[in-house]
């Protein structure tokens, strides 16, 4: 009877009621989860690992249905990094959970100090569509490892993957531990009305601001993984063929819909032609020689939806009209949401393609005479999520690091820093707030609680009132000597 009544109600109302009910059930269960042992948390993570391995073909099919992502790209960018994150966390979790002894100053002799890592409580993870599995699973792993209850919302732009995730989580965890909520903006808005102990969001800065505002209502902590125009600097010493190969892969994997994709390239004016020739040769090897072969390639994904396709087509057309030259690609087919792997030369910083993050398979190439002008342009914009340098000159690499800032940096390659669980992944400024992966993810979803234990009479007693006498005079002198 209850199911029959629920089916007659507006879906949004049903989901709001379910969100409220699940939130309360998770809040009631949060202390059980926070007190769980390393073995219990590892068991939860291993259940997730087993389910992923058993359903990896179903996952690949779901993502392919959403935007024709090749199965090998699903393995390399969705499944494998997630399993690596799981394995790394399982291996180190017991050590991470141990209280960490810290030093105690001599003036506080008689006490010991340590830091405990406690679960934050009930957390929400709002994940994006571009890597719809990995960018939900990675923070989920960290949240479970830290002992939290978790509410998840996958993107509605990848509905097949969203349904896969909902069933996967439902089959692995009870709702008072982990729950998935499918739907659009109305579901996200409903989630943001609840006093979560931590808000975790991956997406664009405009929605990131809304998430941060929601968190401020409850004075909750927040992690924002955003994006930005990740630049590439190639110098005179770089191996152009190796650079072209890495950049073609990093730019066109996932059809360019990657938050750390190379967004634009700066190459010395004297090296531009050689680089373009090397790059076009790589495109032929990767996706075919003709435009027809590239459009038919099973190794190239599609733009996620018609709105994204129209945005890319419009900015590409305006940029070409402004004077940029199409060196390769430039084809856009609406019905199949296809935008070909495209390379532009003759690009200036004032052209439309340079106004915001591209988030698609279009790569602008700019030239420079002096590196100072490159640094000035990079630093004028928002701080990027990633920065890539191609050089054989270690002094030049250090110069770039000294003159720029970014969430992460890779030298002589792209994207690969994201796959190292020993490195923090996150942005700075407009590209994000906070970080995760590996131990950093465990800490993001943990409260670091300071604990001090007085196990013998405190020397601080000599400073108790009244503030006079020989003992206090000597204590004051001793304190100053230790400064």
């Amino acid at each position: 009877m209850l199911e029959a009544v629920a089916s007659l109600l507006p879906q949004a109302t049903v989901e709001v009621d379910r969100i409220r009910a699940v939130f309360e059930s998770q809040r009631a269960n949060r202390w059980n989860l926070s007190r769980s042992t390393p073995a219990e948390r590892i068991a939860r993570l291993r259940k997730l690992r087993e389910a992923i391995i058993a359903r990896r073909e179903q996952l690949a099919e779901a993502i392919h249905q959403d935007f024709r992502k090749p199965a090998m790209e699903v393995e390399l960018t969705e499944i494998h990094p997630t399993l690596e994150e799981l394995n790394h966390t399982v291996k180190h979790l017991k050590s991470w959970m141990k209280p960490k002894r810290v030093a105690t100053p001599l003036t506080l002799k008689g006490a010991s100090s340590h830091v405990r890592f406690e679960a934050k409580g009930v957390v929400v993870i709002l994940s994006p569509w571009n890597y719809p599995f990995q960018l939900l699973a990675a923070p989920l792993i960290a949240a479970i490892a830290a002992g939290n209850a978790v509410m998840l919302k996958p993107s509605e732009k990848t509905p097949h993957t969203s349904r896969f995730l909902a069933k996967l989580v439902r089959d692995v965890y009870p709702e008072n531990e982990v729950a998935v909520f499918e739907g659009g903006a109305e579901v996200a808005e409903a989630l943001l009305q609840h006093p979560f102990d931590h808000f975790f969001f991956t997406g664009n800065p405009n929605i990131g601001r809304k998430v941060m505002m929601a968190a401020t209502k409850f004075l909750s902590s927040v992690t924002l993984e955003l994006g930005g125009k990740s630049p590439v600097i190639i110098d005179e010493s770089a191996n152009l063929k190796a650079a072209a190969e890495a950049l073609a892969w990093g730019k066109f994997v996932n059809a360019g819909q990657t938050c750390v994709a190379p967004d634009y390239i700066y190459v010395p004016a004297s090296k531009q032609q050689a680089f373009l020739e090397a790059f076009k040769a790589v495109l032929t090897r990767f996706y075919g020689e003709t435009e027809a072969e590239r459009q038919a390639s099973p190794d190239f994904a599609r733009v996620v939806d018609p709105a994204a396709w129209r945005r890319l087509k419009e900015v590409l057309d305006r940029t070409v009209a402004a004077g940029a030259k199409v060196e390769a690609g430039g084809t856009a087919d609406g019905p199949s949401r296809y935008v070909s792997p495209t390379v532009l030369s003759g690009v200036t910083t004032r052209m439309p393609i340079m106004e915001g993050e591209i988030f698609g398979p279009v790569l602008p190439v700019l030239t420079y005479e002096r590196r100072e002008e490159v640094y000035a342009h990079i630093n004028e914009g928002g701080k990027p999520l990633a920065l890539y340098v191609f050089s054989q000159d270690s002094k030049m690499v250090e110069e770039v690091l000294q003159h720029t800032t970014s969430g992460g940096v890779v030298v002589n390659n792209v994207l690969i820093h994201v796959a190292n669980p020993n490195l923090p992944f996150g942005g700075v400024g407009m590209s994000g707030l906070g970080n995760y992966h590996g131990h950093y993810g465990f800490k993001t979803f943990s409260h670091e609680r300071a604990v001090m234990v007085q196990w013998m009479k405190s020397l601080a007693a000599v400073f108790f009132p009244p503030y006079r006498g020989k003992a206090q005079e000597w204590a004051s002198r001793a304190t100053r000597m230790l400064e």
Side-chain angles (χ1 to χ4, degrees):
M1 176 63 74
L2 289 176
E3 290 180 1
V5 172
S7 68
L8 299 175
L9 296 173
Q11 183 58 41
T13 302
V14 173
E15 198 69 2
V16 167
D17 291 343
R18 178 176 165 245
I19 288 170
R20 185 183 303 112
V22 172
F23 179 82
E24 291 302 331
S25 72
Q26 290 198 353
R27 189 153 62 172
N29 191 40
R30 61 92 72 207
W31 291 109
N32 294 325
L33 294 174
S34 68
R35 289 192 293 265
S36 58
T37 65
E40 290 169 332
R41 297 183 192 182
I42 287 170
R44 292 188 185 106
L45 293 172
R46 283 179 171 155
K47 283 177 63 178
L48 178 60
R49 183 180 186 277
E50 291 167 4
I52 293 169
I53 291 171
R55 306 182 196 198
R56 65 198 314 159
E57 287 79 15
Q58 297 173 39
L59 173 58
E61 178 58 28
I63 298 178
H64 187 270
Q65 288 183 53
D66 283 328
F67 56 105
R68 229 183 87 168
K69 185 167 181 170
M72 182 57 73
E73 284 190 9
V74 174
E75 281 289 332
L76 293 176
T77 66
E78 303 269 11
I79 299 173
H80 179 72
T82 300
L83 294 177
E84 283 290 301
E85 188 79 16
L86 270 165
N87 294 339
H88 182 81
T89 301
V90 166
K91 180 179 179 181
H92 296 285
L93 183 56
K94 187 175 181 180
S95 172
W96 296 345
M97 288 178 64
K98 289 180 180 177
K100 299 296 186 288
R101 289 288 298 269
V102 297
T104 302
L106 184 60
T107 51
L108 300 176
K109 187 175 175 60
S112 63
S113 308
H114 67 272
V115 178
R116 297 174 66 91
F117 298 93
E118 299 181 342
K120 287 190 172 179
V122 183
V123 305
V124 64
I125 297 171
L126 308 170
S127 63
W129 55 263
N130 59 324
Y131 289 87
F133 177 71
Q134 194 265 338
L135 291 180
L136 179 141
L140 172 62
I141 291 163
I144 292 172
N148 297 282
V150 190
M151 294 173 70
L152 303 161
K153 187 202 171 294
S155 173
E156 70 279 11
K157 288 191 175 187
T158 46
H160 297 90
T161 311
S162 179
R163 285 195 291 273
F164 171 88
L165 288 165
K167 187 174 190 316
L168 176 78
V169 170
R170 188 167 58 246
D171 291 347
V172 174
Y173 300 111
E175 280 198 331
N176 66 352
E177 291 183 13
V178 184
V180 174
F181 297 87
E182 296 185 86
E186 75 285 350
V187 174
E189 291 285 351
L191 284 164
L192 294 180
Q193 302 308 308
H194 291 75
F196 291 99
D197 298 290
H198 188 82
F199 291 73
F200 190 104
F201 170 77
T202 303
N204 69 64
N206 291 331
I207 305 301
R209 289 187 182 94
K210 293 183 179 180
V211 173
M212 195 165 189
M213 288 179 64
T216 61
K217 290 188 298 184
F218 310 111
L219 296 181
S220 300
S221 54
V222 61
T223 301
L224 302 177
E225 296 298 336
L226 306 176
K229 295 184 74 65
S230 296
V232 180
I233 304 173
I234 299 174
D235 84 342
E236 293 82 356
S237 70
N239 181 326
L240 295 183
K241 289 184 178 179
E245 187 172 61
L247 288 164
W249 167 69
K251 180 61 181 180
F252 300 128
V253 69
N254 215 46
Q257 300 165 120
T258 303
C259 56
V260 289
D263 197 88
Y264 61 96
I265 295 175
Y266 266 113
V267 63
S270 62
K271 300 286 186 180
Q272 177 184 217
Q273 194 55 41
F275 172 75
L276 288 172
E277 292 303 319
F279 198 93
K280 286 186 276 189
V282 173
L283 278 186
T284 297
R285 180 157 55 90
F286 281 8
Y287 303 114
E289 185 171 0
T290 67
E291 191 54 49
E293 289 175 340
R294 293 173 186 179
Q295 189 166 356
S297 171
D299 301 320
F300 188 72
R302 293 296 182 262
V303 177
V304 70
D305 61 18
W309 180 88
R310 287 191 296 270
R311 177 187 62 80
L312 285 166
K313 177 73 164 59
E314 187 266 342
V315 74
L316 177 58
D317 289 346
R318 287 199 299 127
T319 301
V320 172
K325 178 184 177 183
V326 177
E327 294 284 347
T331 300
D333 177 65
S336 63
R337 306 196 312 274
Y338 172 76
V339 177
S340 61
T342 299
V343 185
L344 302 176
S345 65
V347 177
T348 69
T349 59
R350 302 303 176 192
M351 288 183 174
I353 200 72
M354 296 298 291
E355 291 172 357
E357 186 177 7
I358 299 168
F359 225 69
V362 182
L363 184 61
V365 178
L366 295 83
T367 62
Y368 70 94
E369 298 288 347
R370 298 168 55 251
R371 287 198 292 269
E372 288 76 13
E373 62 192 79
V374 177
Y375 304 148
H377 173 251
I378 292 172
N379 293 331
E380 280 175 7
K383 299 170 183 176
L385 185 55
L387 186 148
Y388 304 112
V389 185
F390 288 84
S391 173
Q392 300 301 315
D393 183 348
S394 60
K395 289 184 179 179
M396 181 271 181
V397 172
E398 181 59 29
E399 179 187 290
V400 173
L401 295 174
Q402 292 283 347
H403 285 80
T404 62
T405 187
S406 63
V409 176
V410 180
V411 178
N412 293 325
N413 212 329
V414 295
L415 309 190
I416 59 173
H417 62 303
V418 178
N420 185 352
N422 296 292
L423 285 174
F425 176 71
V428 57
M430 287 295 290
S431 62
L433 174 68
N435 54 48
Y436 70 119
H437 284 190
H439 192 202
Y440 301 95
F442 172 80
K443 291 175 71 175
T444 286
F445 287 100
S446 298
H447 166 56
E448 296 179 59
R449 189 178 189 182
V451 179
M452 201 164 180
V453 179
Q454 189 73 49
W455 51 270
M456 61 178 289
K457 183 175 175 61
S458 174
L459 294 179
V462 299
F463 296 106
F464 293 169
Y467 301 120
R468 53 188 175 273
K470 286 290 185 182
Q472 289 200 338
E473 182 180 339
W474 282 107
S476 179
R477 289 180 182 179
T479 301
R480 293 189 180 189
M481 291 175 62
L482 295 171
E483 291 176 351

